[in-house]
Amino acid sequence: MAQVLAIANQKGGVGKTTTSVNLACALARLGQRTLLVDLDPQGNATMGSGVDKRTLKASVYQVLIGQARIVDAIVNTEAAGYALLPANRELAGAELDLVDLDARESRLRDALAEVDTRFDVVLIDCPPSLSLLTLNGFCAAQSVIIPMQCEYYALEGLSDLVNTVRKVHANFNPRLSILGLLRVMFDARMALAQQVSRQLEAHFGAKVFTTVVPRNVRLAEAPSHGLPGLLYDPQSKGAQAYLEFGRELMARLAHTGAAAPATPASAT
Ligand code: ADP
Ligand code: MG
């Protein structure tokens, strides 16, 4: 069964898409059959994966409203080694279109069930809101990864997000949990960043991933070349951090039993 992970934070510009694209690339590099779902009408994960959002045959929008099958909408990223369920502006209409449909919050989960055996990991790049689209992401996922910048207001938004995950867990998806918080765009020279980082560790303990992604201009440049940072400049500190995060994530998934290969029970 595929591990489905939602990359979420209702704030914009906190590094969700950068994390989604580079983590997808890192996991593919580590041998995982990976699908990246672009669930943001901005289509940044699509463009950042080298797929032109203006010329899609079908997108996640048609899949959600039942006008296309997921297998017909998935495309392969040429260089990056993962599969992509792309998005474009049309997805902005989904909020309204879904309201009249049955099982409106579980449309993505139902679609992903069709390709479950084809992938080891599915990453969902969520939009910057706690909307019906994000709800679809949370209903489809087992875990949530929260990328965050270590700045003053970061902690404030976090409680809303944690509450939303709790509500979805209680009402829609009992499998859902927060896998961890990832510190991104980290600037070690900033005293405030260090301070917020320590607060995060104090509040969330082991939920805070050990890997810290530094602020690195190569990660910001990569999308304009239609490449994940991992391919644009593999030696950059940003790329190396995401590769390291891929390893840490796989270890954590194996530890929680989620991605562990079938092992015989210990003979006692
Ligand atoms: P979100 O998807 O949460 O809106 P993005 O991933 O698009 O956030 O990131 C917002 C902006 O910050 C983008 O311009 C992106 O290139 C840049 N960015 C993200 N992570 C880093 C990083 N580690 N170092 C430098 N720039 C980054
Ligand atoms: Mg984004």
Side-chain angles (χ1 to χ4, degrees):
M1 207 178 91
Q3 260 304 301
V4 184
L5 307 164
I7 318 291
N9 188 324
Q10 75 276 28
K11 293 189 176 193
V14 295
K16 290 181 292 297
T17 300
T18 304
T19 297
S20 300
V21 166
N22 285 287
L23 181 59
C25 193
L27 291 172
R29 184 75 62 79
L30 294 168
Q32 301 290 299
R33 296 172 304 161
T34 305
L35 171 67
L36 173 58
V37 178
D38 189 351
L39 203 53
D40 186 339
Q42 293 180 89
N44 292 346
T46 299
M47 296 298 277
S49 299
V51 173
D52 190 344
K53 65 182 177 184
R54 292 158 302 192
T55 59
L56 302 175
K57 273 198 304 192
S59 72
V60 66
Y61 170 73
Q62 277 85 24
V63 173
L64 288 175
I65 63 168
Q67 283 183 357
R69 290 191 56 210
I70 189 168
V71 286
D72 296 324
I74 289 175
V75 290
N76 276 310
T77 61
E78 279 169 29
Y82 56 86
L84 174 79
L85 178 55
N88 57 26
R89 286 300 321 160
E90 275 186 309
L91 185 57
E95 287 288 329
L96 274 178
D97 296 336
L98 283 171
V99 168
D100 293 330
L101 299 178
D102 291 338
R104 61 189 178 194
E105 72 284 341
S106 58
R107 312 283 299 190
L108 181 61
R109 181 181 67 197
D110 297 344
L112 286 175
E114 281 186 47
V115 292
D116 188 58
T117 54
R118 286 175 47 179
F119 299 102
D120 301 309
V121 184
V122 178
L123 301 177
I124 304 172
D125 182 25
C126 291
S129 60
L130 297 174
S131 59
L132 190 48
L133 285 175
T134 298
L135 182 58
N136 262 270
F138 285 175
C139 284
Q142 287 103 320
S143 330
V144 182
I145 295 174
I146 306 173
M148 50 188 314
Q149 280 178 267
C150 290
E151 57 181 27
Y152 183 66
Y153 291 112
L155 293 164
E156 198 170 276
L158 201 52
S159 54
D160 292 337
L161 183 52
V162 170
N163 281 333
T164 301
V165 171
R166 280 209 190 105
K167 280 187 202 154
V168 175
H169 173 91
N171 297 307
F172 297 104
N173 180 5
R175 299 179 308 173
L176 189 69
S177 67
I178 293 175
L179 187 68
L181 285 78
L182 176 67
R183 291 163 286 185
V184 298
M185 290 188 238
F186 194 77
D187 185 347
R189 293 164 307 178
M190 272 179 60
L192 178 63
Q194 301 279 5
Q195 189 185 331
V196 173
S197 178
R198 280 195 297 272
Q199 276 177 350
L200 274 183
E201 286 167 349
H203 275 81
F204 293 94
K207 286 272 181 211
V208 183
F209 289 107
T210 310
T211 308
V212 176
V213 178
R215 186 172 285 282
N216 178 232
V217 69
R218 306 302 267 172
L219 288 174
E221 290 168 357
S224 66
H225 299 265
L227 290 172
L230 235 75
L231 292 182
Y232 174 63
D233 186 352
Q235 297 312 317
S236 64
K237 288 213 157 61
Q240 291 295 315
Y242 275 114
L243 195 57
E244 185 55 36
F245 179 51
R247 291 197 192 92
E248 182 182 2
L249 182 69
M250 283 180 63
R252 189 172 286 207
L253 289 175
H255 183 69
T256 57
T263 44
S266 61
T268 40

